[in-house]
Amino acid sequence: MPRPDGGGLAARARGQGGEVVFWGRGYPGKGEAGEVEAARPIRYSGDGLSQIGDKGRFVLPSEIRKTLRESGDGERVLCLSKHPRWKALVGFGLSRIEELEAELEREERYALDRGHDFDRDLRAQQLYGYSRLPFDDSGRFVMPDRHFRLAGIEERVFFRGMGRSFLIWNPDVLMKMGPGFEEAQEACADLIAQAASGKAKG
């Protein structure tokens, strides 16, 4: 079976509850035989699409699921919050919690150095107002109702890695975003087409 290793292939998996998740490029490669790799920083990459399944569950793409477990030293926990500007959700693992205070300090220092207003309390409650959601071995997790409302999520979601965290979009919302989102929109459209093709064949 072909491996979705960034060569333009896509993979499809079905969770135990019947959910279907598609994912595309961004899978990490393996080192040379015998090579000992140093500890790497947690970085999320790649794209994925998941249709809502039984009991309102979605499925994390395998790469994001793997990185989340690395972030939590094996703990299966997804941290989820609203993006401060876009109608999307931000996901990250447990290791990033330790970075939030330093991030807050950097943002405040950046604003003050340039004479900009900075509401520390507002930004702090955005950073620390995340939910901790468990997921199972197959990547299934239940999204709280408030996150459905905050991101306008309905029947499916698009995952997009962005380094220290990843985004979760309602595809319809993403498609209405302006300049700068073209590549994400095309990746999302490709996965939607692949999902539709798979259903047609099935």
Side-chain angles (χ1 to χ4, degrees):
M1 179 177 179
R3 175 178 174 268
D5 58 0
L9 298 176
R12 177 177 63 174
R14 187 175 296 275
Q16 296 175 2
E19 311 89 334
V20 176
V21 59
F22 286 76
W23 59 88
R25 301 187 63 165
Y27 289 77
K30 295 182 180 179
E32 296 295 331
E35 179 183 353
V36 177
E37 295 186 7
R40 295 179 297 175
I42 298 298
R43 295 290 183 265
Y44 300 91
S45 63
D47 305 311
L49 183 74
S50 177
Q51 190 78 17
I52 194 169
D54 294 345
K55 301 179 182 178
R57 290 178 293 197
F58 292 103
V59 181
L60 293 161
S62 61
E63 182 189 355
I64 286 179
R65 179 168 76 245
K66 175 179 179 292
T67 307
L68 281 172
R69 293 192 68 165
E70 290 174 356
S71 177
D73 288 329
E75 251 190 289
R76 297 192 302 267
V77 176
L78 161 64
C79 298
L80 199 61
S81 64
K82 168 72 171 58
H83 191 278
R85 297 187 307 280
W86 306 329
K87 193 172 183 179
L89 303 175
V90 179
F92 54 92
L94 294 174
S95 65
R96 185 157 184 253
I97 295 173
E98 300 175 0
E99 304 172 4
L100 296 181
E101 194 63 27
E103 182 173 335
L104 184 61
E105 295 286 347
R106 282 195 304 271
E107 291 183 8
E108 182 175 34
R109 193 161 53 246
Y110 181 90
L112 295 178
D113 287 348
R114 287 156 180 76
H116 300 161
D117 291 333
F118 185 81
D119 190 330
R120 186 184 177 94
D121 289 340
L122 175 62
R123 186 61 181 131
Q125 65 89 20
Q126 290 173 340
L127 285 172
Y128 286 98
Y130 57 84
S131 301
R132 295 190 184 203
L133 309 178
F135 60 90
D136 65 16
D137 283 333
S138 63
R140 294 180 302 170
F141 69 98
V142 177
M143 187 180 294
D145 289 344
R146 69 178 181 277
H147 290 305
F148 276 82
R149 296 190 294 270
L150 287 169
I153 289 170
E154 297 174 346
E155 296 300 317
R156 59 188 173 187
V157 293
F158 173 68
F159 298 88
R160 179 73 165 176
M162 60 172 191
R164 292 184 302 165
S165 58
F166 59 92
L167 293 172
I168 302 178
W169 292 91
N170 173 347
D172 294 334
V173 173
L174 173 61
M175 294 305 177
K176 295 176 182 177
M177 298 297 289
F181 290 88
E182 295 89 349
E183 205 281 334
Q185 290 165 343
E186 288 296 326
C188 182
D190 284 347
L191 291 179
I192 290 173
Q194 291 163 17
S197 176
K199 288 180 180 178
K201 292 177 182 178

